[in-house]
Amino acid sequence: MSNKSLATSAEKLCILVTGGAGFIGSHTCVELLAKGEDEARLKFYCANILDRAALESIFAENDIDAIIHFAGFKAVGESVAKPLEYYWNNIAGTLVLCDVSRAHGVKNIVFSSSATVYGEPEFIPITEDCPKHDATNPYGQTKSMLEQILTDLYVGDNEWNVVLLRYFNPIGAHESGMIGEDPKGIPNNLVPYVAQVAVGKLPYLNVYGDDYPTPDGTGIRDYIHVVDLARGHVAALDWMAGHVGTGEPIGLGSIKGEASPDETRRGVGIFNLGTGKGSSVLDVVHAFEKACGHEIPYEIKPRRAGDIAVNYAACDKAHSEMGWKAEYDLDRMCEDSWRWQSNNPDGYRSA
Ligand code: UFG
């Protein structure tokens, strides 16, 4: 079946957001609704991407134009202990999703990838041309493999439009304080951990290593506000539709070959989504202290296995091709994380 063109008017645009209730997915839904026309609305399905019958009925009930695919397991350590679950859920789930989508004539997909595909990066700042390296864990492998699978889909059938978004370190929360990151159990990632120390749920932060070749010895990452990241997905849909810089709302016009204003925009687009600025673990601690108004206790611990010293993005490609750029700085990210955490010390469970 030939590919579905994006809808002819924005109010008709229908995006399937898998993992739409997750951290990045929920913020992306908010940005999609904000970008849509007045009557933009959200429909929620509780379904597993491995459940073909459930997906079939979702596609049958809705005139879907494109998919933003977030659904996937994402804990690095857990993936080492449960490789089968990770490969099954992330890889097989995406295969089922793409197969059902294709059968319904929808071949437009934006995929949640990760800077993890660069492994130990060959150069910093990392551009999209930086060679990929083996990930050190099954979670990272699934991101890398899915990039390959989606690229192969396009190679085999040029009607596919694929955008691979390589996220750096998403943190922060919506400024309303009503949605944010809600990790299960003890957080693995830095900012959710710091936030729980700040709110008194955990006694102190473990800083994994202060002997890296960085100015203060702690690891450097490219933290990006989740709302900036969410807007990167809206920009990716615009890019797919070939309407970058035209000021037209997403989804206007067709991305079918004959109608595409710029043939080169079709195919596989790969973009880093970061700020281009590196911050150390202690920079984050200090920014968070400013946001919450008190000290965050920490202890220096040995390096964490699999961590690299420095990781930050070059984001010029996303800027020049998609017209997207991160706006919020580290202070703002920590302020918004703190608002979410202090309003909801137990995450969504306290609601
Ligand atoms: N860190 C601490 N203490 C903690 C947690 C983290 O010191 O309790 C340090 C880490 O050593 C690292 C930095 O904080 O230097 C950031 O660590 P995160 O776990 O928050 O993030 P990572 O960069 O390790 O991982 C992120 C994503 C992964 C992705 C990886 C590589 O969470 O999904 O980037 O791109 F795979």
Side-chain angles (χ1 to χ4, degrees):
M1 187 187 267
S2 64
N3 190 15
K4 182 82 161 291
S5 73
L6 288 187
T8 49
S9 59
E11 59 270 26
K12 299 262 173 63
L13 187 71
C14 181
I15 310 291
L16 173 61
V17 182
T18 71
F23 176 42
I24 306 171
S26 58
H27 288 81
T28 300
C29 289
V30 169
E31 293 307 310
L32 286 169
L33 290 169
K35 182 86 194 268
E37 303 275 286
D38 289 346
E39 65 266 43
R41 66 199 169 89
L42 185 136
K43 208 163 155 185
F44 176 75
Y45 289 91
C46 181
N48 190 315
I49 51 169
L50 284 157
D51 183 346
R52 178 179 290 269
L55 289 181
E56 285 286 358
S57 59
I58 291 169
F59 275 91
E61 283 169 30
N62 299 282
D63 194 12
I64 293 167
D65 299 293
I67 305 172
I68 304 181
H69 179 31
F70 293 106
F73 292 157
K74 49 147 277 186
V76 171
E78 184 184 60
S79 77
V80 176
K82 297 181 171 176
L84 190 56
E85 284 77 2
Y86 270 67
Y87 287 117
W88 183 246
N89 188 65
N90 293 9
I91 306 275
T94 303
L95 297 180
V96 175
L97 175 68
C98 289
D99 191 33
V100 173
S101 182
R102 176 179 63 176
H104 288 265
V106 181
K107 301 178 186 175
N108 305 311
I109 185 166
V110 177
F111 176 63
S112 254
S113 189
S114 165
T116 197
V117 302
Y118 297 112
E120 177 90 49
E122 286 197 13
F123 49 83
I124 299 279
I126 302 172
T127 67
E128 291 81 356
D129 297 329
C130 192
K132 284 169 71 170
H133 284 303
D134 273 352
T136 51
N137 56 79
Y139 155 77
Q141 296 282 14
T142 67
K143 292 296 180 195
S144 205
M145 288 176 184
L146 286 168
E147 283 200 349
Q148 186 65 51
I149 287 168
L150 294 172
T151 302
D152 290 344
L153 277 187
Y154 169 72
V155 171
D157 174 357
N158 287 173
E159 284 187 354
W160 277 92
N161 292 289
V162 174
V163 179
L164 308 175
L165 299 178
R166 294 176 175 166
Y167 312 152
F168 281 68
N169 290 56
I171 63 166
H174 191 261
E175 66 175 349
S176 64
M178 293 171 69
I179 54 171
E181 189 168 11
D182 184 17
K184 293 194 190 84
I186 308 261
N188 297 303
N189 297 113
L190 178 64
V191 171
Y193 202 106
V194 168
Q196 293 200 10
V197 173
V199 86
K201 292 184 73 183
L202 292 167
Y204 58 87
L205 170 71
N206 300 298
V207 173
Y208 297 132
D210 69 348
D211 56 351
Y212 284 107
T214 62
D216 66 18
T218 66
I220 288 183
R221 295 290 182 277
D222 187 339
Y223 297 94
I224 173 169
H225 197 297
V226 65
V227 170
D228 276 329
L229 190 70
R231 290 176 184 157
H233 295 75
V234 178
L237 288 175
D238 278 335
W239 181 87
M240 235 183 207
H243 283 270
V244 171
T246 62
E248 292 178 52
I250 53 169
L252 285 177
S254 167
I255 56 169
K256 269 184 172 169
E258 69 275 13
S260 175
D262 179 355
E263 191 69 16
T264 62
R265 285 192 179 135
R266 300 171 65 244
V268 181
I270 303 180
F271 299 99
N272 287 339
L273 298 184
T275 62
K277 188 175 178 308
S279 304
S280 73
V281 175
L282 295 182
D283 289 337
V284 171
V285 168
H286 296 136
F288 214 97
E289 286 174 335
K290 242 198 297 181
C292 73
H294 60 82
E295 215 174 292
I296 310 277
Y298 66 85
E299 288 186 12
I300 304 294
K301 293 287 160 72
R303 293 181 180 191
R304 185 172 69 175
D307 274 356
I308 55 179
V310 180
N311 190 17
Y312 60 90
C315 302
D316 312 286
K317 189 177 177 204
H319 190 213
S320 63
E321 290 195 27
M322 300 200 299
W324 172 90
K325 192 153 120 325
E327 287 172 25
Y328 298 126
D329 66 9
L330 184 62
D331 284 346
R332 172 64 189 267
M333 298 178 214
C334 291
E335 283 160 24
D336 288 339
S337 279
W338 173 241
R339 188 176 303 107
W340 156 251
Q341 185 71 57
S342 53
N343 286 349
N344 308 277
D346 297 316
Y348 292 110
R349 279 165 295 277
S350 60

